[in-house]
Amino acid sequence: MKKIKSKKASRKSTGAGAAQQSATAAAVPSCPAAPTNIWINLFALGLSLAAVFWLRAYGQDLHVKTQSLVVVAVALALPIIILEWLILKPWRNPSAGLDFRRVNFSLGRTALKLLGFYLTVGSVAFVYWLFPEYHGSFYDNYFTVVKAVLPWWMLLAVPYFYLVDGAMQSPKDSYWQLGSWIMGNRKGVSGKTIGQLYLGWLVKLFFLPLMFVYLGNNLTNLLNFDFSRLLVSFKSVFDFTFNFLFYIDLLFVTVGYVCTLRLFDSHIRTAEPSFLGWGVALIGYQPFWSLFSGTYLKYDDAPAWGYWFWDTPWAYTLWGSIILLLIAIYVWASIPFGIRFSNLTHRGILTNGPYRFTKHPAYISKNLSWWMISMPFMVSASGSEALRQSLLLLMVNFIYFMRARTEERHLAWDPTYVAYARYIGERGIFAFIGRRFPLLRFGNGRLFYHGDDAPAVEPLVTGSTAPSAPARPA
């Protein structure tokens, strides 16, 4: 009897333990699905790199920074669009807001949208005309391509807007509201929605020219590189790999800024509305970086890492390899975006690739690489100078920290991102930091965590409807 009792008790105990484990597993948030597929993006990258080899062999007559650049960009974007359409079917995502079973075409509504679209494009052209920054030769190649593509783009917008408008579940979008406002109809028009439209275009008009020019420079280096140099020294390997990795990053970035289309669920849902969010993002890019880094944040006065390790080949190779590894992680974080990359906007919540382990893999790896490259803690003439330059680099790191926090605050309006952030807070590789320092946990609408019982905050972005589908800030 004692034995039987013992077995029964053991079974009860085991059952209770299993139930407790099941309840614990249920309490741990799951990671939402990603809207992109890394294998599709890698396949497209392979085709784009094949286009680079074709250009090296047969594309000498093409202008590198315009025609050749368009070739490699199309070779990346087109396979992603086609394969996503066939496999992922992005138009079915609730975040796309499309239903092609509807028959709701309207010439009048489409005309208002086209009016809003053409006015927005005209506003972008006005900004380029107005500011001296865009009158120098630096952007000549960008504007050469824009002038060649713009007439076709404006023409193709007519059937595109008509097709998409007929399938939209909520067809009175920001373009319609802007067009209605221009025509004097204020009913159903939201100033905040129109403001979001212009903020999204402001992101594109600022970042796309920069990324286009940088990509052209890296492509030029890639097409002209003598691969026999790779057998000479690690320095050649480092220089080539450094340029090649950033070429891949810039390729995805440039394509992402171009392909903002609702038809492929790659449109801009919302743009960062706060001055702080824009400030900490723009300070890291030209022309703002030259202004601030030269005056306040110049932490790299001394020679960089290669100068100090040149006479020690094994140390040079080891240190350089670590830098390349960090940059490779940074580039790995760009590949999951596919055609959806964009700063300061929400174009879908990435949860695959390195985002499966942390919310900000690109920022973490990039900032660590700067410490390895500049070595302000080692190369300065004195201890006080090393401390000063290290503090300056810490300030740069803090800017990126605030950039990450403003992105999280912006995306907190989307329940998919909230679920993802909570998953990372429990399962991410840096989850222990949040447990030790609760203030750094996901703030859910705030910059910093205020406790689970903190009152809910109004969404930072208004005039938009949160999607119910997996939708990262792109």
Side-chain angles (χ1 to χ4, degrees):
M1 288 294 293
K2 285 182 182 177
K3 273 190 177 181
I4 294 172
K5 269 188 174 181
S6 175
K7 284 182 180 178
K8 283 183 179 177
S10 176
R11 285 195 196 103
K12 282 183 180 178
S13 174
T14 303
Q20 186 177 8
Q21 287 178 2
S22 177
T24 303
V28 175
S30 60
C31 185
T36 65
N37 184 289
I38 289 182
W39 295 110
I40 290 177
N41 299 342
L42 287 173
F43 176 77
L45 175 60
L47 292 180
S48 186
L49 293 177
V52 173
F53 281 98
W54 180 86
L55 288 168
R56 284 176 61 94
Y58 305 105
Q60 293 87 349
D61 294 336
L62 299 179
H63 189 272
V64 173
K65 296 184 179 181
T66 54
Q67 296 167 311
S68 295
L69 194 153
V70 171
V71 168
V72 296
V74 171
L76 178 76
L78 197 57
I80 293 177
I81 290 171
I82 293 173
L83 291 174
E84 282 194 356
W85 187 268
L86 295 175
I87 299 172
L88 302 183
K89 298 176 173 53
W91 74 90
R92 293 182 179 176
N93 294 342
S95 52
L98 299 175
D99 184 357
F100 285 100
R101 295 169 298 182
R102 295 165 54 90
V103 181
N104 189 28
F105 298 104
S106 170
L107 286 173
R109 200 168 55 230
T110 301
L112 286 175
K113 290 185 177 184
L114 287 168
L115 176 61
F117 172 69
Y118 292 145
L119 178 62
T120 307
V121 174
S123 302
V124 172
F126 175 75
V127 170
Y128 286 149
W129 171 81
L130 178 64
F131 289 108
E133 167 68 15
Y134 298 103
H135 286 223
S137 59
F138 181 79
Y139 296 105
D140 281 352
N141 293 317
Y142 169 73
F143 288 117
T144 297
V145 173
V146 168
K147 289 174 183 176
V149 171
L150 187 61
W152 297 100
W153 186 38
M154 304 294 273
L155 185 62
L156 290 172
V158 177
Y160 174 81
F161 271 86
Y162 182 73
L163 172 66
V164 173
D165 172 77
M168 287 182 67
Q169 296 171 352
S170 301
K172 295 183 178 180
D173 62 3
S174 53
Y175 287 115
W176 178 88
Q177 294 191 40
L178 178 58
S180 296
W181 184 80
I182 293 298
M183 296 303 294
N185 178 18
R186 305 296 190 265
K187 186 178 180 181
V189 173
S190 166
K192 291 180 179 178
T193 300
I194 295 175
Q196 277 287 301
L197 172 65
Y198 271 103
L199 283 176
W201 274 91
L202 185 59
V203 170
K204 293 181 71 170
L205 80 84
F206 176 80
F207 284 103
L208 181 55
L210 274 178
M211 302 303 117
F212 186 94
V213 173
Y214 293 156
L215 177 61
N217 293 339
N218 283 48
L219 178 60
T220 301
N221 293 336
L222 201 57
L223 293 177
N224 295 330
F225 187 81
D226 180 6
F227 282 95
S228 64
R229 291 172 51 198
L230 296 177
L231 303 175
V232 175
S233 67
F234 178 77
K235 182 181 185 304
S236 298
V237 173
F238 180 90
D239 292 342
F240 170 79
T241 308
F242 191 90
N243 178 79
F244 178 67
L245 288 172
F246 276 107
Y247 167 78
I248 294 174
D249 172 65
L250 289 165
L251 181 63
F252 278 95
V253 167
T254 303
V255 165
Y257 281 115
V258 174
C259 297
T260 52
L261 298 165
R262 182 181 293 273
L263 187 60
F264 308 123
D265 195 29
S266 62
H267 59 294
I268 295 175
R269 281 73 154 164
T270 57
E272 169 64 49
S274 73
F275 184 79
L276 175 62
W278 279 78
V280 293
L282 295 185
I283 195 175
Y285 296 90
Q286 299 294 357
F288 304 107
W289 177 244
S290 293
L291 174 65
F292 283 94
S293 66
T295 308
Y296 294 105
L297 299 174
K298 192 168 183 58
Y299 61 83
D300 54 355
D301 282 333
W305 70 277
Y307 173 84
W308 299 96
F309 290 129
W310 182 248
D311 294 329
T312 313
W314 69 267
Y316 184 93
T317 301
L318 177 62
W319 200 271
S321 297
I322 296 173
I323 292 172
L324 292 178
L325 176 62
L326 290 170
I327 295 172
I329 295 172
Y330 169 75
V331 175
W332 180 29
S334 296
I335 293 174
F337 281 95
I339 59 170
R340 291 169 175 81
F341 186 93
S342 173
N343 284 302
L344 294 166
T345 60
H346 170 21
R347 293 174 59 191
I349 306 301
L350 294 188
T351 62
N352 49 354
Y355 298 99
R356 197 77 175 183
F357 310 107
T358 179
K359 298 191 295 292
H360 305 286
Y363 295 164
I364 293 170
S365 57
K366 180 192 289 188
N367 280 268
L368 288 175
S369 73
W370 290 337
W371 282 95
M372 298 290 293
I373 291 170
S374 65
M375 299 193 305
F377 50 91
M378 287 178 60
V379 303
S380 300
S382 63
S384 62
E385 189 65 10
L387 175 62
R388 185 183 72 83
Q389 294 195 21
S390 295
L391 289 174
L392 290 174
L393 182 50
L394 281 173
M395 290 182 187
V396 176
N397 299 153
F398 179 73
I399 290 172
Y400 272 81
F401 169 76
M402 291 304 298
R403 186 174 172 182
R405 301 306 292 197
T406 54
E407 282 183 5
E408 293 181 19
R409 183 181 64 176
H410 169 202
L411 295 175
W413 74 278
D414 187 335
T416 302
Y417 187 80
V418 174
Y420 165 69
R422 286 175 174 163
Y423 170 83
I424 294 296
E426 293 291 332
R427 297 290 185 88
I429 58 176
F430 299 110
F432 67 93
I433 296 178
R435 298 188 191 103
R436 185 174 290 270
F437 304 101
L439 189 67
L440 300 181
R441 294 177 186 172
F442 173 60
N444 197 9
R446 297 178 172 87
L447 286 176
F448 298 98
Y449 180 73
H450 286 264
D452 293 328
D453 299 327
V457 294
E458 289 295 320
L460 189 65
V461 179
T462 54
S464 302
T465 304
S468 58
R472 179 157 202 240

PDB file of all heavy atoms in Angstrom, residues 359-370:
ATOM      1  N   LYS A 359      17.004  43.801 -30.064  1.00  0.00           N
ATOM      2  CA  LYS A 359      16.236  44.773 -30.847  1.00  0.00           C
ATOM      3  C   LYS A 359      17.114  45.658 -31.712  1.00  0.00           C
ATOM      4  O   LYS A 359      16.642  46.216 -32.707  1.00  0.00           O
ATOM      5  CB  LYS A 359      15.386  45.650 -29.908  1.00  0.00           C
ATOM      6  CG  LYS A 359      14.349  44.892 -29.093  1.00  0.00           C
ATOM      7  CD  LYS A 359      13.370  45.832 -28.409  1.00  0.00           C
ATOM      8  CE  LYS A 359      14.031  46.720 -27.371  1.00  0.00           C
ATOM      9  NZ  LYS A 359      14.511  45.958 -26.203  1.00  0.00           N
ATOM     10  N   HIS A 360      18.378  45.846 -31.333  1.00  0.00           N
ATOM     11  CA  HIS A 360      19.228  46.818 -32.030  1.00  0.00           C
ATOM     12  C   HIS A 360      20.605  46.239 -32.369  1.00  0.00           C
ATOM     13  O   HIS A 360      21.634  46.770 -31.932  1.00  0.00           O
ATOM     14  CB  HIS A 360      19.381  48.085 -31.182  1.00  0.00           C
ATOM     15  CG  HIS A 360      18.073  48.692 -30.787  1.00  0.00           C
ATOM     16  ND1 HIS A 360      17.281  49.379 -31.676  1.00  0.00           N
ATOM     17  CD2 HIS A 360      17.410  48.683 -29.596  1.00  0.00           C
ATOM     18  CE1 HIS A 360      16.187  49.790 -31.058  1.00  0.00           C
ATOM     19  NE2 HIS A 360      16.235  49.387 -29.801  1.00  0.00           N
ATOM     20  N   PRO A 361      20.665  45.167 -33.152  1.00  0.00           N
ATOM     21  CA  PRO A 361      21.971  44.557 -33.463  1.00  0.00           C
ATOM     22  C   PRO A 361      22.883  45.483 -34.254  1.00  0.00           C
ATOM     23  O   PRO A 361      24.103  45.464 -34.066  1.00  0.00           O
ATOM     24  CB  PRO A 361      21.590  43.317 -34.283  1.00  0.00           C
ATOM     25  CG  PRO A 361      20.251  43.637 -34.868  1.00  0.00           C
ATOM     26  CD  PRO A 361      19.556  44.460 -33.820  1.00  0.00           C
ATOM     27  N   ALA A 362      22.318  46.294 -35.139  1.00  0.00           N
ATOM     28  CA  ALA A 362      23.140  47.185 -35.963  1.00  0.00           C
ATOM     29  C   ALA A 362      23.806  48.254 -35.112  1.00  0.00           C
ATOM     30  O   ALA A 362      24.998  48.538 -35.267  1.00  0.00           O
ATOM     31  CB  ALA A 362      22.293  47.829 -37.064  1.00  0.00           C
ATOM     32  N   TYR A 363      23.055  48.863 -34.211  1.00  0.00           N
ATOM     33  CA  TYR A 363      23.616  49.915 -33.367  1.00  0.00           C
ATOM     34  C   TYR A 363      24.686  49.366 -32.440  1.00  0.00           C
ATOM     35  O   TYR A 363      25.731  50.000 -32.224  1.00  0.00           O
ATOM     36  CB  TYR A 363      22.513  50.583 -32.540  1.00  0.00           C
ATOM     37  CG  TYR A 363      21.486  51.327 -33.355  1.00  0.00           C
ATOM     38  CD1 TYR A 363      20.271  51.701 -32.800  1.00  0.00           C
ATOM     39  CD2 TYR A 363      21.726  51.662 -34.693  1.00  0.00           C
ATOM     40  CE1 TYR A 363      19.321  52.392 -33.535  1.00  0.00           C
ATOM     41  CE2 TYR A 363      20.786  52.348 -35.432  1.00  0.00           C
ATOM     42  CZ  TYR A 363      19.578  52.697 -34.851  1.00  0.00           C
ATOM     43  OH  TYR A 363      18.641  53.389 -35.580  1.00  0.00           O
ATOM     44  N   ILE A 364      24.444  48.195 -31.871  1.00  0.00           N
ATOM     45  CA  ILE A 364      25.407  47.611 -30.930  1.00  0.00           C
ATOM     46  C   ILE A 364      26.717  47.291 -31.644  1.00  0.00           C
ATOM     47  O   ILE A 364      27.809  47.668 -31.186  1.00  0.00           O
ATOM     48  CB  ILE A 364      24.817  46.338 -30.285  1.00  0.00           C
ATOM     49  CG1 ILE A 364      23.630  46.722 -29.389  1.00  0.00           C
ATOM     50  CG2 ILE A 364      25.883  45.607 -29.469  1.00  0.00           C
ATOM     51  CD1 ILE A 364      22.835  45.526 -28.899  1.00  0.00           C
ATOM     52  N   SER A 365      26.645  46.600 -32.773  1.00  0.00           N
ATOM     53  CA  SER A 365      27.868  46.204 -33.480  1.00  0.00           C
ATOM     54  C   SER A 365      28.596  47.416 -34.051  1.00  0.00           C
ATOM     55  O   SER A 365      29.828  47.481 -34.020  1.00  0.00           O
ATOM     56  CB  SER A 365      27.525  45.220 -34.599  1.00  0.00           C
ATOM     57  OG  SER A 365      26.577  45.765 -35.493  1.00  0.00           O
ATOM     58  N   LYS A 366      27.860  48.391 -34.558  1.00  0.00           N
ATOM     59  CA  LYS A 366      28.490  49.592 -35.121  1.00  0.00           C
ATOM     60  C   LYS A 366      29.258  50.351 -34.043  1.00  0.00           C
ATOM     61  O   LYS A 366      30.402  50.764 -34.260  1.00  0.00           O
ATOM     62  CB  LYS A 366      27.422  50.501 -35.732  1.00  0.00           C
ATOM     63  CG  LYS A 366      27.980  51.772 -36.339  1.00  0.00           C
ATOM     64  CD  LYS A 366      26.875  52.771 -36.658  1.00  0.00           C
ATOM     65  CE  LYS A 366      26.030  52.349 -37.816  1.00  0.00           C
ATOM     66  NZ  LYS A 366      25.083  53.416 -38.249  1.00  0.00           N
ATOM     67  N   ASN A 367      28.636  50.557 -32.884  1.00  0.00           N
ATOM     68  CA  ASN A 367      29.303  51.313 -31.823  1.00  0.00           C
ATOM     69  C   ASN A 367      30.509  50.567 -31.264  1.00  0.00           C
ATOM     70  O   ASN A 367      31.525  51.192 -30.939  1.00  0.00           O
ATOM     71  CB  ASN A 367      28.300  51.634 -30.715  1.00  0.00           C
ATOM     72  CG  ASN A 367      27.422  52.825 -31.051  1.00  0.00           C
ATOM     73  OD1 ASN A 367      27.737  53.961 -30.715  1.00  0.00           O
ATOM     74  ND2 ASN A 367      26.317  52.570 -31.733  1.00  0.00           N
ATOM     75  N   LEU A 368      30.434  49.258 -31.154  1.00  0.00           N
ATOM     76  CA  LEU A 368      31.594  48.485 -30.710  1.00  0.00           C
ATOM     77  C   LEU A 368      32.734  48.575 -31.724  1.00  0.00           C
ATOM     78  O   LEU A 368      33.911  48.671 -31.343  1.00  0.00           O
ATOM     79  CB  LEU A 368      31.201  47.022 -30.501  1.00  0.00           C
ATOM     80  CG  LEU A 368      30.332  46.723 -29.278  1.00  0.00           C
ATOM     81  CD1 LEU A 368      29.917  45.261 -29.266  1.00  0.00           C
ATOM     82  CD2 LEU A 368      31.069  47.080 -27.982  1.00  0.00           C
ATOM     83  N   SER A 369      32.404  48.576 -33.007  1.00  0.00           N
ATOM     84  CA  SER A 369      33.450  48.663 -34.028  1.00  0.00           C
ATOM     85  C   SER A 369      34.185  49.996 -33.956  1.00  0.00           C
ATOM     86  O   SER A 369      35.386  50.064 -34.229  1.00  0.00           O
ATOM     87  CB  SER A 369      32.849  48.467 -35.425  1.00  0.00           C
ATOM     88  OG  SER A 369      32.095  49.591 -35.855  1.00  0.00           O
ATOM     89  N   TRP A 370      33.476  51.070 -33.574  1.00  0.00           N
ATOM     90  CA  TRP A 370      34.144  52.372 -33.463  1.00  0.00           C
ATOM     91  C   TRP A 370      35.188  52.364 -32.358  1.00  0.00           C
ATOM     92  O   TRP A 370      36.234  53.003 -32.482  1.00  0.00           O
ATOM     93  CB  TRP A 370      33.112  53.467 -33.215  1.00  0.00           C
ATOM     94  CG  TRP A 370      32.251  53.735 -34.419  1.00  0.00           C
ATOM     95  CD1 TRP A 370      32.554  53.462 -35.726  1.00  0.00           C
ATOM     96  CD2 TRP A 370      30.949  54.302 -34.422  1.00  0.00           C
ATOM     97  NE1 TRP A 370      31.522  53.832 -36.539  1.00  0.00           N
ATOM     98  CE2 TRP A 370      30.517  54.352 -35.765  1.00  0.00           C
ATOM     99  CE3 TRP A 370      30.097  54.771 -33.432  1.00  0.00           C
ATOM    100  CZ2 TRP A 370      29.278  54.863 -36.139  1.00  0.00           C
ATOM    101  CZ3 TRP A 370      28.866  55.274 -33.799  1.00  0.00           C
ATOM    102  CH2 TRP A 370      28.456  55.324 -35.128  1.00  0.00           C
TER     103      TRP A 370
END
